[in-house]
Amino acid sequence: MKTLLNNILLLFTATAFLVACDNQDFTVLNPNASTTLSLSTNDLTLLVDNAGQDVLTVSWTDPDYGFDAGASYNIIFTYGANSKTISAGTALSKVFESVELNKLLLNLGLEGGVPTEVAVQVQAVLSETTVIDSNIAMFTATTYLDVLDLSTIWGVVGSATTNGWNGPDMPFYQTSDPNVIVAYVTLTDGEIKFRSNNAWDLNYGDDGLDGTLDQNGANIPVSAGTYKITFNTAALTYTIEAYSWGLVGSATPNGWGGPDLPFEYDSYSDTWKAVVTLADGEIKIRFNNDWTLNYGDDGADGTLEPGGANIAVTAGNYLVTFDLNALQYTIEPIDIWGVVGSAAPNGWGGPDVRFTPDYSTDGVWVLNGVTLTTGEIKFRTNDAWDYNFGDDGADGTLEQNGANIAVTAGTYNIVLDFSDPNAPTYTLTSI
């Protein structure tokens, strides 16, 4: 009888197991799952006049995963050793607009005006460990330069500059006169010289302090202030004059009395730019913190007039661009990156020490000459914790809500690089 009961129990258990197995939903990836990429064109010339036009469509087939998969897709553009990854979400195609694609390809390293082959591939991402790669498609792209190149070999160096006598030097820029270059600099009390290629092989000072330059000449003493330095490379003469543009008004922290919120010269567009926080109120643009030369907007149409009407603004963070050549301006909302933490000047509570955009490359922010103590930092936007980044692996790669970043006391140049939104990075360089 005992044996019979054991056999019945064994049969019942086996039957239950088989029923359970029969009802189990096994998820097995189809080993032949694949996706095929195609491009709307294999030869593309991008033109500045085509801004706003769709120029390239990247499409791919839906893989047969063998089950209902919630895959997401990345598009990878590759040129040489450089690659850029663009998230496409769950769609099976992505359309690229002319300006967007041009900037992407320039950031990839393409030279403007030169036909260049670029590789494109799609990745179907099911998990961190399960990725399906498409075929690689090639297309030839001719980009256009959307930034000016006003760079020169010359710079300002010295104890009065941000980086001292070792550089890197504060740059001179080209003007409409091929023999005349200019530098827009904020200096401290100290001394300066002019030199080429951040090296002492060719440098100029002023032995007689008479405005005429002498090779290997004496250091030039300066007082703290913001200046325009004009250097005639043919005549070997120079001038140093007080020069600054700024925002003033009831919407600025210092009101109508100033000091004004300063603009920074952007040589890549030959305009003046300021990243600012404004309150509800009004602003104007003026020269050298003085009302002798000021601009407003009589028609609220983006065009400036000398002595024109106050410009009404609402509270927020903005990128203000001032085109002195065309007498036009724009005010665009922007998220402002800052460094916060026990090592930062204002601790974890802020306000943060703010970065400014690198106007040559979308998604890159720079902060030069920030003094940190031994402690920890993170990076966040708009003095708030809603969107912040740390570094989980202490490897230079940023993660949202990542670990605090340990630093030692010193003065640093910091670069945040979000040009690839899927792999943001940062660098801290001690100066």
PDB file of all heavy atoms in Angstrom, residues 275-276 316-319 332-338 354-357 365 380-383 387:
ATOM      1  N   VAL A 275      24.917  85.100 -21.148  1.00  0.00           N
ATOM      2  CA  VAL A 275      24.021  84.130 -20.518  1.00  0.00           C
ATOM      3  C   VAL A 275      23.627  84.717 -19.166  1.00  0.00           C
ATOM      4  O   VAL A 275      24.483  84.894 -18.291  1.00  0.00           O
ATOM      5  CB  VAL A 275      24.700  82.761 -20.359  1.00  0.00           C
ATOM      6  CG1 VAL A 275      23.791  81.797 -19.620  1.00  0.00           C
ATOM      7  CG2 VAL A 275      25.082  82.198 -21.720  1.00  0.00           C
ATOM      8  N   VAL A 276      22.351  85.029 -18.987  1.00  0.00           N
ATOM      9  CA  VAL A 276      21.924  85.840 -17.852  1.00  0.00           C
ATOM     10  C   VAL A 276      20.633  85.314 -17.235  1.00  0.00           C
ATOM     11  O   VAL A 276      19.850  84.621 -17.893  1.00  0.00           O
ATOM     12  CB  VAL A 276      21.712  87.316 -18.269  1.00  0.00           C
ATOM     13  CG1 VAL A 276      23.017  87.954 -18.710  1.00  0.00           C
ATOM     14  CG2 VAL A 276      20.671  87.417 -19.389  1.00  0.00           C
ATOM     15  N   GLY A 316      13.434  84.747 -16.148  1.00  0.00           N
ATOM     16  CA  GLY A 316      13.948  83.487 -16.691  1.00  0.00           C
ATOM     17  C   GLY A 316      15.426  83.554 -16.970  1.00  0.00           C
ATOM     18  O   GLY A 316      16.077  84.597 -16.767  1.00  0.00           O
ATOM     19  N   ASN A 317      15.972  82.432 -17.423  1.00  0.00           N
ATOM     20  CA  ASN A 317      17.367  82.349 -17.842  1.00  0.00           C
ATOM     21  C   ASN A 317      17.429  82.480 -19.355  1.00  0.00           C
ATOM     22  O   ASN A 317      16.683  81.792 -20.077  1.00  0.00           O
ATOM     23  CB  ASN A 317      17.984  81.013 -17.419  1.00  0.00           C
ATOM     24  CG  ASN A 317      18.069  80.876 -15.908  1.00  0.00           C
ATOM     25  OD1 ASN A 317      18.354  81.837 -15.207  1.00  0.00           O
ATOM     26  ND2 ASN A 317      17.818  79.680 -15.402  1.00  0.00           N
ATOM     27  N   TYR A 318      18.362  83.308 -19.847  1.00  0.00           N
ATOM     28  CA  TYR A 318      18.372  83.629 -21.271  1.00  0.00           C
ATOM     29  C   TYR A 318      19.787  83.676 -21.834  1.00  0.00           C
ATOM     30  O   TYR A 318      20.759  83.984 -21.126  1.00  0.00           O
ATOM     31  CB  TYR A 318      17.712  84.992 -21.520  1.00  0.00           C
ATOM     32  CG  TYR A 318      16.250  85.050 -21.160  1.00  0.00           C
ATOM     33  CD1 TYR A 318      15.843  85.571 -19.939  1.00  0.00           C
ATOM     34  CD2 TYR A 318      15.279  84.571 -22.044  1.00  0.00           C
ATOM     35  CE1 TYR A 318      14.496  85.626 -19.603  1.00  0.00           C
ATOM     36  CE2 TYR A 318      13.931  84.619 -21.712  1.00  0.00           C
ATOM     37  CZ  TYR A 318      13.546  85.148 -20.483  1.00  0.00           C
ATOM     38  OH  TYR A 318      12.226  85.191 -20.156  1.00  0.00           O
ATOM     39  N   LEU A 319      19.852  83.394 -23.147  1.00  0.00           N
ATOM     40  CA  LEU A 319      21.025  83.715 -23.951  1.00  0.00           C
ATOM     41  C   LEU A 319      20.655  84.936 -24.780  1.00  0.00           C
ATOM     42  O   LEU A 319      19.769  84.869 -25.638  1.00  0.00           O
ATOM     43  CB  LEU A 319      21.400  82.540 -24.864  1.00  0.00           C
ATOM     44  CG  LEU A 319      22.462  82.832 -25.927  1.00  0.00           C
ATOM     45  CD1 LEU A 319      23.799  83.187 -25.284  1.00  0.00           C
ATOM     46  CD2 LEU A 319      22.624  81.651 -26.877  1.00  0.00           C
ATOM     47  N   GLU A 332      16.867  84.387 -26.065  1.00  0.00           N
ATOM     48  CA  GLU A 332      16.410  82.998 -26.142  1.00  0.00           C
ATOM     49  C   GLU A 332      16.477  82.345 -24.763  1.00  0.00           C
ATOM     50  O   GLU A 332      17.513  82.440 -24.088  1.00  0.00           O
ATOM     51  CB  GLU A 332      17.287  82.204 -27.105  1.00  0.00           C
ATOM     52  CG  GLU A 332      17.428  82.799 -28.491  1.00  0.00           C
ATOM     53  CD  GLU A 332      18.527  82.107 -29.273  1.00  0.00           C
ATOM     54  OE1 GLU A 332      18.264  80.990 -29.772  1.00  0.00           O
ATOM     55  OE2 GLU A 332      19.628  82.662 -29.377  1.00  0.00           O
ATOM     56  N   PRO A 333      15.419  81.644 -24.331  1.00  0.00           N
ATOM     57  CA  PRO A 333      15.481  80.893 -23.069  1.00  0.00           C
ATOM     58  C   PRO A 333      16.581  79.836 -23.126  1.00  0.00           C
ATOM     59  O   PRO A 333      16.829  79.235 -24.171  1.00  0.00           O
ATOM     60  CB  PRO A 333      14.097  80.241 -22.960  1.00  0.00           C
ATOM     61  CG  PRO A 333      13.219  81.056 -23.862  1.00  0.00           C
ATOM     62  CD  PRO A 333      14.093  81.532 -24.978  1.00  0.00           C
ATOM     63  N   ILE A 334      17.256  79.611 -21.999  1.00  0.00           N
ATOM     64  CA  ILE A 334      18.350  78.650 -21.961  1.00  0.00           C
ATOM     65  C   ILE A 334      18.475  78.075 -20.553  1.00  0.00           C
ATOM     66  O   ILE A 334      18.179  78.768 -19.563  1.00  0.00           O
ATOM     67  CB  ILE A 334      19.682  79.319 -22.392  1.00  0.00           C
ATOM     68  CG1 ILE A 334      20.776  78.276 -22.633  1.00  0.00           C
ATOM     69  CG2 ILE A 334      20.116  80.357 -21.384  1.00  0.00           C
ATOM     70  CD1 ILE A 334      22.038  78.859 -23.234  1.00  0.00           C
ATOM     71  N   ASP A 335      18.860  76.797 -20.451  1.00  0.00           N
ATOM     72  CA  ASP A 335      19.223  76.207 -19.165  1.00  0.00           C
ATOM     73  C   ASP A 335      20.704  76.471 -18.921  1.00  0.00           C
ATOM     74  O   ASP A 335      21.535  76.228 -19.805  1.00  0.00           O
ATOM     75  CB  ASP A 335      18.956  74.702 -19.160  1.00  0.00           C
ATOM     76  CG  ASP A 335      17.480  74.377 -19.159  1.00  0.00           C
ATOM     77  OD1 ASP A 335      16.729  75.076 -18.455  1.00  0.00           O
ATOM     78  OD2 ASP A 335      17.078  73.434 -19.864  1.00  0.00           O
ATOM     79  N   ILE A 336      21.044  76.953 -17.744  1.00  0.00           N
ATOM     80  CA  ILE A 336      22.418  77.353 -17.439  1.00  0.00           C
ATOM     81  C   ILE A 336      23.068  76.320 -16.537  1.00  0.00           C
ATOM     82  O   ILE A 336      22.570  76.023 -15.440  1.00  0.00           O
ATOM     83  CB  ILE A 336      22.449  78.737 -16.766  1.00  0.00           C
ATOM     84  CG1 ILE A 336      21.742  79.783 -17.643  1.00  0.00           C
ATOM     85  CG2 ILE A 336      23.885  79.156 -16.488  1.00  0.00           C
ATOM     86  CD1 ILE A 336      21.629  81.144 -16.993  1.00  0.00           C
ATOM     87  N   TRP A 337      24.191  75.775 -16.967  1.00  0.00           N
ATOM     88  CA  TRP A 337      24.922  74.794 -16.178  1.00  0.00           C
ATOM     89  C   TRP A 337      25.800  75.487 -15.138  1.00  0.00           C
ATOM     90  O   TRP A 337      26.334  76.573 -15.374  1.00  0.00           O
ATOM     91  CB  TRP A 337      25.804  73.933 -17.084  1.00  0.00           C
ATOM     92  CG  TRP A 337      25.012  72.902 -17.821  1.00  0.00           C
ATOM     93  CD1 TRP A 337      24.535  72.980 -19.093  1.00  0.00           C
ATOM     94  CD2 TRP A 337      24.570  71.644 -17.299  1.00  0.00           C
ATOM     95  NE1 TRP A 337      23.817  71.850 -19.404  1.00  0.00           N
ATOM     96  CE2 TRP A 337      23.831  71.013 -18.329  1.00  0.00           C
ATOM     97  CE3 TRP A 337      24.730  70.996 -16.077  1.00  0.00           C
ATOM     98  CZ2 TRP A 337      23.257  69.754 -18.149  1.00  0.00           C
ATOM     99  CZ3 TRP A 337      24.157  69.744 -15.913  1.00  0.00           C
ATOM    100  CH2 TRP A 337      23.433  69.138 -16.940  1.00  0.00           C
ATOM    101  N   GLY A 338      25.918  74.834 -13.982  1.00  0.00           N
ATOM    102  CA  GLY A 338      26.768  75.365 -12.922  1.00  0.00           C
ATOM    103  C   GLY A 338      27.422  74.242 -12.146  1.00  0.00           C
ATOM    104  O   GLY A 338      27.020  73.077 -12.232  1.00  0.00           O
ATOM    105  N   ARG A 354      28.769  79.510 -12.540  1.00  0.00           N
ATOM    106  CA  ARG A 354      28.141  79.220 -13.819  1.00  0.00           C
ATOM    107  C   ARG A 354      29.131  79.023 -14.965  1.00  0.00           C
ATOM    108  O   ARG A 354      30.149  79.700 -15.058  1.00  0.00           O
ATOM    109  CB  ARG A 354      27.167  80.342 -14.186  1.00  0.00           C
ATOM    110  CG  ARG A 354      25.964  80.391 -13.251  1.00  0.00           C
ATOM    111  CD  ARG A 354      24.981  81.429 -13.668  1.00  0.00           C
ATOM    112  NE  ARG A 354      23.693  81.223 -13.014  1.00  0.00           N
ATOM    113  CZ  ARG A 354      22.596  81.900 -13.291  1.00  0.00           C
ATOM    114  NH1 ARG A 354      22.636  82.835 -14.220  1.00  0.00           N
ATOM    115  NH2 ARG A 354      21.474  81.638 -12.657  1.00  0.00           N
ATOM    116  N   PHE A 355      28.767  78.092 -15.834  1.00  0.00           N
ATOM    117  CA  PHE A 355      29.478  77.877 -17.078  1.00  0.00           C
ATOM    118  C   PHE A 355      28.937  78.823 -18.147  1.00  0.00           C
ATOM    119  O   PHE A 355      27.843  79.371 -18.015  1.00  0.00           O
ATOM    120  CB  PHE A 355      29.284  76.434 -17.569  1.00  0.00           C
ATOM    121  CG  PHE A 355      29.980  75.392 -16.745  1.00  0.00           C
ATOM    122  CD1 PHE A 355      29.452  74.967 -15.531  1.00  0.00           C
ATOM    123  CD2 PHE A 355      31.162  74.822 -17.185  1.00  0.00           C
ATOM    124  CE1 PHE A 355      30.089  73.986 -14.779  1.00  0.00           C
ATOM    125  CE2 PHE A 355      31.805  73.844 -16.448  1.00  0.00           C
ATOM    126  CZ  PHE A 355      31.277  73.429 -15.237  1.00  0.00           C
ATOM    127  N   THR A 356      29.700  78.967 -19.224  1.00  0.00           N
ATOM    128  CA  THR A 356      29.216  79.649 -20.417  1.00  0.00           C
ATOM    129  C   THR A 356      29.332  78.691 -21.600  1.00  0.00           C
ATOM    130  O   THR A 356      30.196  77.807 -21.606  1.00  0.00           O
ATOM    131  CB  THR A 356      30.018  80.929 -20.718  1.00  0.00           C
ATOM    132  OG1 THR A 356      31.413  80.592 -20.843  1.00  0.00           O
ATOM    133  CG2 THR A 356      29.831  81.951 -19.613  1.00  0.00           C
ATOM    134  N   PRO A 357      28.476  78.838 -22.596  1.00  0.00           N
ATOM    135  CA  PRO A 357      28.557  77.924 -23.749  1.00  0.00           C
ATOM    136  C   PRO A 357      29.862  78.106 -24.509  1.00  0.00           C
ATOM    137  O   PRO A 357      30.402  79.219 -24.598  1.00  0.00           O
ATOM    138  CB  PRO A 357      27.358  78.341 -24.616  1.00  0.00           C
ATOM    139  CG  PRO A 357      26.442  79.095 -23.703  1.00  0.00           C
ATOM    140  CD  PRO A 357      27.335  79.773 -22.712  1.00  0.00           C
ATOM    141  N   TRP A 365      30.048  73.277 -22.657  1.00  0.00           N
ATOM    142  CA  TRP A 365      30.058  74.407 -21.730  1.00  0.00           C
ATOM    143  C   TRP A 365      31.424  74.493 -21.064  1.00  0.00           C
ATOM    144  O   TRP A 365      32.043  73.463 -20.773  1.00  0.00           O
ATOM    145  CB  TRP A 365      28.976  74.229 -20.669  1.00  0.00           C
ATOM    146  CG  TRP A 365      27.579  74.312 -21.197  1.00  0.00           C
ATOM    147  CD1 TRP A 365      26.929  73.396 -21.967  1.00  0.00           C
ATOM    148  CD2 TRP A 365      26.656  75.395 -21.012  1.00  0.00           C
ATOM    149  NE1 TRP A 365      25.661  73.821 -22.262  1.00  0.00           N
ATOM    150  CE2 TRP A 365      25.465  75.040 -21.692  1.00  0.00           C
ATOM    151  CE3 TRP A 365      26.718  76.606 -20.327  1.00  0.00           C
ATOM    152  CZ2 TRP A 365      24.351  75.870 -21.706  1.00  0.00           C
ATOM    153  CZ3 TRP A 365      25.604  77.430 -20.334  1.00  0.00           C
ATOM    154  CH2 TRP A 365      24.438  77.069 -21.022  1.00  0.00           C
ATOM    155  N   ARG A 380      24.847  70.881 -12.300  1.00  0.00           N
ATOM    156  CA  ARG A 380      23.391  70.933 -12.386  1.00  0.00           C
ATOM    157  C   ARG A 380      22.965  72.184 -13.151  1.00  0.00           C
ATOM    158  O   ARG A 380      23.771  73.096 -13.390  1.00  0.00           O
ATOM    159  CB  ARG A 380      22.754  70.919 -10.991  1.00  0.00           C
ATOM    160  CG  ARG A 380      23.094  72.114 -10.123  1.00  0.00           C
ATOM    161  CD  ARG A 380      22.412  72.040  -8.761  1.00  0.00           C
ATOM    162  NE  ARG A 380      22.661  73.251  -7.965  1.00  0.00           N
ATOM    163  CZ  ARG A 380      22.086  73.500  -6.802  1.00  0.00           C
ATOM    164  NH1 ARG A 380      21.225  72.633  -6.273  1.00  0.00           N
ATOM    165  NH2 ARG A 380      22.351  74.626  -6.135  1.00  0.00           N
ATOM    166  N   THR A 381      21.684  72.226 -13.539  1.00  0.00           N
ATOM    167  CA  THR A 381      21.170  73.370 -14.289  1.00  0.00           C
ATOM    168  C   THR A 381      20.316  74.259 -13.394  1.00  0.00           C
ATOM    169  O   THR A 381      19.586  73.785 -12.521  1.00  0.00           O
ATOM    170  CB  THR A 381      20.317  72.919 -15.494  1.00  0.00           C
ATOM    171  OG1 THR A 381      19.251  72.087 -15.042  1.00  0.00           O
ATOM    172  CG2 THR A 381      21.161  72.174 -16.509  1.00  0.00           C
ATOM    173  N   ASN A 382      20.436  75.562 -13.654  1.00  0.00           N
ATOM    174  CA  ASN A 382      19.544  76.574 -13.081  1.00  0.00           C
ATOM    175  C   ASN A 382      19.505  76.562 -11.556  1.00  0.00           C
ATOM    176  O   ASN A 382      18.460  76.806 -10.948  1.00  0.00           O
ATOM    177  CB  ASN A 382      18.128  76.403 -13.648  1.00  0.00           C
ATOM    178  CG  ASN A 382      18.101  76.440 -15.160  1.00  0.00           C
ATOM    179  OD1 ASN A 382      18.919  77.116 -15.780  1.00  0.00           O
ATOM    180  ND2 ASN A 382      17.189  75.705 -15.763  1.00  0.00           N
ATOM    181  N   ASP A 383      20.650  76.238 -10.912  1.00  0.00           N
ATOM    182  CA  ASP A 383      20.746  76.246  -9.447  1.00  0.00           C
ATOM    183  C   ASP A 383      19.727  75.320  -8.789  1.00  0.00           C
ATOM    184  O   ASP A 383      19.302  75.557  -7.651  1.00  0.00           O
ATOM    185  CB  ASP A 383      20.559  77.669  -8.896  1.00  0.00           C
ATOM    186  CG  ASP A 383      21.698  78.590  -9.275  1.00  0.00           C
ATOM    187  OD1 ASP A 383      22.849  78.128  -9.349  1.00  0.00           O
ATOM    188  OD2 ASP A 383      21.438  79.785  -9.517  1.00  0.00           O
ATOM    189  N   TYR A 387      17.812  68.509 -12.549  1.00  0.00           N
ATOM    190  CA  TYR A 387      18.626  67.915 -13.612  1.00  0.00           C
ATOM    191  C   TYR A 387      20.084  68.086 -13.219  1.00  0.00           C
ATOM    192  O   TYR A 387      20.638  69.176 -13.303  1.00  0.00           O
ATOM    193  CB  TYR A 387      18.320  68.614 -14.933  1.00  0.00           C
ATOM    194  CG  TYR A 387      18.838  67.914 -16.154  1.00  0.00           C
ATOM    195  CD1 TYR A 387      18.620  66.551 -16.365  1.00  0.00           C
ATOM    196  CD2 TYR A 387      19.527  68.616 -17.136  1.00  0.00           C
ATOM    197  CE1 TYR A 387      19.080  65.914 -17.502  1.00  0.00           C
ATOM    198  CE2 TYR A 387      19.993  67.983 -18.283  1.00  0.00           C
ATOM    199  CZ  TYR A 387      19.769  66.631 -18.460  1.00  0.00           C
ATOM    200  OH  TYR A 387      20.235  66.000 -19.587  1.00  0.00           O
TER     201      TYR A 387
END
